[in-house]
Amino acid sequence: LDVVAGPFAATLSSVAGPVAVLRVDADTYEGTRDALEGLYDAVPPGGVVIVDDYHLGGCRRAVREFRTRRNATRAPLLPAPIDYVLGCPRLTDERRRRLADDVLLGGARVRQEPMRVAQNVYWRKPGA
């Protein structure tokens, strides 16, 4: 696992070799676009692209435009499984436990409005 931290424009060129799993957490149109444009070619066919914060308009727009431009729309865009969302390092242990209880067991302690758009999405890069 090779984690590269820093602004996208300053760090994308330091990534070398194949990227089996590309996880983009940029929150903005520009950041999401730059990360996909800069790293997608390193993902081999069958590799996985995960994009956080797809529910944010700019991020969603960047993903849609990119997938259309790169002919990736033949690969289904899927919501990330709940265990991926619950693995978010920003959640406190207590919040994660309460959210898992609500989502997975139908508890009533944590109630959030249902999202009309998936918060996080993924797709497998299609073959050539």
Side-chain angles (χ1 to χ4, degrees):
L1 175 65
D2 192 17
V3 177
V4 179
F8 293 113
T11 58
L12 288 176
S13 62
S14 68
V15 177
V19 176
V21 177
L22 172 59
R23 179 175 177 237
V24 177
D25 187 358
D27 299 345
T28 65
Y29 172 81
E30 293 81 6
T32 302
R33 179 200 61 211
D34 291 349
L36 290 172
E37 289 291 345
L39 297 172
Y40 191 74
D41 288 337
V43 177
V48 177
V49 179
I50 303 167
V51 179
D52 288 5
D53 302 312
Y54 184 76
H55 65 289
L56 300 176
C59 179
R60 188 168 55 255
R61 187 174 120 224
V63 168
R64 288 177 176 171
E65 289 175 2
F66 177 82
R67 284 173 43 90
T68 298
R69 224 176 18 261
R70 297 299 294 269
N71 197 26
T73 55
R74 58 191 170 148
L77 185 64
L78 304 166
I82 190 65
D83 57 339
Y84 170 77
V85 175
L86 294 176
C88 176
R90 291 176 289 207
L91 290 176
T92 65
D93 289 340
E94 174 61 16
R95 177 79 172 144
R96 184 177 293 110
R97 185 189 62 72
R98 288 177 32 212
L99 184 58
D101 184 48
D102 182 54
V103 171
L104 302 176
L105 303 175
R109 288 179 288 197
V110 178
R111 281 288 168 217
Q112 298 177 343
E113 289 296 316
M115 298 182 85
R116 298 188 193 289
V117 176
Q119 182 169 356
N120 305 302
V121 295
Y122 75 99
W123 73 90
R124 287 196 176 276
K125 184 175 180 179

